Each structure stands twice: as C-alpha cells, then as structure tokens.
Amino acid sequence: MSNKTGKMHTDTSIKMILDRWDQSIKSADQLFEQLSDDALLKETSPGKNRGIYLLGHLIAVHDEMLMILDLTREMQYPELYGPFHEEPDKAVSNLPATSELRTIWKTQCAYIAQQFAGVKTEEWFSKHTRVTVEAFATEPTRNKLNVVLTRVIHLQYHLGQMVLLK
Amino acid sequence: MSNKTGKMHTDTSIKMILDRWDQSIKSADQLFEQLSDDALLKETSPGKNRGIYLLGHLIAVHDEMLMILDLTREMQYPELYGPFHEEPDKAVSNLPATSELRTIWKTQCAYIAQQFAGVKTEEWFSKHTRVTVEAFATEPTRNKLNVVLTRVIHLQYHLGQMVLLK
C-alpha cells in the first residue's frame, strides 16, 4: 500500500463513519418532528420504554460520549444521567418536560457537530479517555472514531424502537 | 502521515467495522435463541411488523448484500426476497416455517463469515456493484466496507425492535 493510498483510505474511513453519524442524527430529527409530545409519552411496545425515556437516554449517552472523546471535561446535562441512564423508565416520576428535552437535543446535536468538525485525522485514531495507554497499544480499535461508530449503532437501535410510536 | 501510519489506520478501520458485524450477528443469535417460535409470530408493537417478518427481512437484505459486495453472482434465497423485502408484513400468507428461517439464518451467517474472511484490504475499499466507476471516482466512500457498515446499522435498527418481543 502506498503512502497516498493509506492516507486516502484513512480519510475515507473517517468520512464513512461521520457521514453515518450525520445521517442518523438527521433521521432522528425527522422522526422526532413527526412524533407529538403525546406520542413520546407512549410506550414503544406494551410494558417497554416510553419515547420520552429514549429521547432523554440518547441525550445522556451523547453527553457522556463527549467526555469519552475528550471533547468536554464534564457532563453538560448531569441531571439527566440518573433518570435516563442509571435508572430504568418509570423509576423517576418528575422527568423534564418533553419540550425541554427537544430543545436540549437540538442544542446538543449542534454542539456535537461543531466539536466533531474540529477533530483532526490523527485524533480520531487516538485513544479515548476510558482506555489505558497500555491497553490501547495492543488494541488500536479502541480509538475515538470507534466511539462514534458504536454510538451511531446505539442511536439506530433506539430509533428502530421509537419509529414504532408513529 | 507516514506510510506505516496510513496502513495501520486502514487495517484498524476495517477491523472496527468487521468487529461490529461479528458482534451484531452474535447479539442477533443470542436474541433469536431467547425468542420462541410463538414470540416470533407476535408483533413488535401493536399493528407493526412481526418477529418472523423481520427475521426473513434480515436474511433477504444480507442475501442481497452478498451480491452488492460481489461475493455472490445471484441470490441464494430468491424466494424470500418478495415476501420479506418487496412486500410488507402480512401481505403474503404462506411464509416459510420459523424453524426453516432459523436454519437459513445460521447457514447464511456462517457463509458470510467465510466470505468476509477472504476479502483483502484493497477489496474492502473498492467499489461495490451498485455504483458506477465514474461515481465511485468522486465518492470513494461508496466502497464495500461501507456496505457492511450500513448493513450493521440496518441489523441493529431491527434488533432494537425484535428485542421488544422478549
């Protein structure tokens, strides 16, 4: 493989995964617009998670993602982590209003897009904050780009559920 | 970027995506084992696709994927494409037995693993069969590795739904 080819494939790989992130966020935005606040308060299937829980859960996971990517030093929405990540749905009674979660979602997506745009090629392939230098030396897949990849998959998994609210 | 670094990132990117494929298939296998034939005949949510439809749909999409990757010349299960891809759920009354679909799923997964193992680095970054040489020249992300990436996302989207049958 020539130097040029290796560089080209590296750039292509980053674009493939970031494109999936962008596209998944776009799908989520379109879906959330189609779902009324009432629809988001319904269960995706009888006895299963409600839409509002999944919306808050996605925000909490993406908030944590920014720290794992070393793009933030602390959680931006720490008050959401307990009710939407540590606790299951319906365990916490006083959740934020759906309208508030919608606003946070949009603000967060814009912030993430801005942050992602500033990450350089080598940084995407550097270790994330939850892996040690020693472990990363033998497992180079535990890089920042892979964190985005797994979060895309996580997002699509839950979008598959939220689409059932339509 | 040095020649060595470019090659390393290229190999890392391929491993990241193929690992996600393997892991997603493993998650699917575990889920399908937990779901009885009766559970697979239920709807994922009232009025929505049944488990059996999604199982057949995944087989049909992965069958087509092999052709898009140029790993097969024709569909291995052409009889499934109509009822599980072209048609919506419940449009076709005489579907194959769930036990038959389970067997095909396992056979197909083993076949795909075998085929993937034989694909070389440069092949993963070469064009898939549904894009022209001209379009690929300006859009290198339309490669075979990206086909696997989008099918992983598709699989996880539907696994998010099938898990609701538990």
Side-chain angles (χ1 to χ4, degrees), chain A residues 1-3 5-17 19-20 24 43-46 48-49 121-122 125 140-143 145-147 149-150 152-153 156-161 163-166, chain B residues 1-3 5-17 19-20 24 43-46 48-49 121-122 125 140-143 145-147 149-150 152-153 156-161 163-166:
Chain A
M1 185 181 301
S2 72
N3 190 357
T5 309
K7 172 77 171 73
M8 198 178 74
H9 292 341
T10 300
D11 290 342
T12 299
S13 299
I14 293 172
K15 183 164 168 30
M16 280 161 55
I17 293 172
D19 279 356
R20 281 310 102 207
S24 300
E43 293 172 332
T44 49
S45 187
K48 307 295 182 182
N49 290 329
T121 301
E122 278 307 316
F125 284 92
T141 57
R142 299 175 72 176
N143 58 51
L145 189 61
N146 213 358
V147 172
L149 171 57
T150 54
V152 165
I153 288 171
Q156 290 278 349
Y157 182 90
H158 289 305
L159 288 182
Q161 298 169 337
V163 80
L164 300 174
L165 295 168
K166 274 167 72 171
Chain B
M1 185 181 300
S2 73
N3 190 358
T5 308
K7 171 79 170 75
M8 198 178 74
H9 292 342
T10 301
D11 290 342
T12 298
S13 299
I14 294 172
K15 183 165 169 29
M16 279 160 56
I17 293 171
D19 279 356
R20 282 308 103 205
S24 300
E43 292 171 333
T44 49
S45 187
K48 307 295 181 181
N49 290 329
T121 301
E122 277 308 316
F125 284 91
T141 57
R142 299 175 73 174
N143 58 50
L145 189 60
N146 214 358
V147 173
L149 171 57
T150 54
V152 165
I153 288 170
Q156 290 278 350
Y157 182 91
H158 289 305
L159 288 183
Q161 297 170 336
V163 79
L164 301 174
L165 296 167
K166 273 167 73 171

Side-chain angles (χ1 to χ4, degrees), chain A residues 3-165:
Chain A
N3 190 357
K4 198 179 157 195
T5 309
K7 172 77 171 73
M8 198 178 74
H9 292 341
T10 300
D11 290 342
T12 299
S13 299
I14 293 172
K15 183 164 168 30
M16 280 161 55
I17 293 172
L18 295 185
D19 279 356
R20 281 310 102 207
W21 173 268
D22 291 342
Q23 193 53 55
S24 300
I25 295 294
K26 208 176 199 174
S27 300
D29 284 340
Q30 286 171 353
L31 176 60
F32 299 164
E33 270 175 37
Q34 290 167 354
L35 297 173
S36 66
D37 287 0
D38 276 354
L40 284 170
L41 285 172
K42 293 210 169 75
E43 293 172 332
T44 49
S45 187
K48 307 295 182 182
N49 290 329
R50 289 173 300 164
I52 187 176
Y53 179 80
L54 293 176
L55 173 54
H57 177 68
L58 291 172
I59 295 170
V61 167
H62 294 172
D63 198 6
E64 189 177 35
M65 173 187 75
L66 287 168
M67 292 179 67
I68 300 176
L69 293 173
D70 208 17
L71 292 171
T72 53
R73 292 287 164 189
E74 51 192 29
M75 300 287 278
Q76 310 293 295
Y77 309 101
E79 70 282 6
L80 302 183
Y81 199 77
F84 293 110
H85 197 294
E86 294 175 324
E87 299 289 341
D89 190 18
K90 296 153 208 162
V92 178
S93 53
N94 57 337
L95 294 180
T98 307
S99 61
E100 194 185 333
L101 290 176
R102 288 183 189 273
T103 303
I104 293 176
W105 170 261
K106 280 178 196 241
T107 305
Q108 185 189 50
C109 286
Y111 180 74
I112 293 172
Q114 187 192 0
Q115 289 294 309
F116 279 10
V119 179
K120 301 280 190 298
T121 301
E122 278 307 316
E123 285 172 65
W124 281 124
F125 284 92
S126 68
K127 82 171 199 68
H128 62 69
T129 62
R130 301 275 169 93
V131 61
T132 63
V133 173
E134 293 73 27
F136 183 66
T138 56
E139 295 171 279
T141 57
R142 299 175 72 176
N143 58 51
K144 292 177 180 171
L145 189 61
N146 213 358
V147 172
V148 178
L149 171 57
T150 54
R151 293 323 179 277
V152 165
I153 288 171
H154 174 263
L155 171 55
Q156 290 278 349
Y157 182 90
H158 289 305
L159 288 182
Q161 298 169 337
M162 293 180 84
V163 80
L164 300 174
L165 295 168

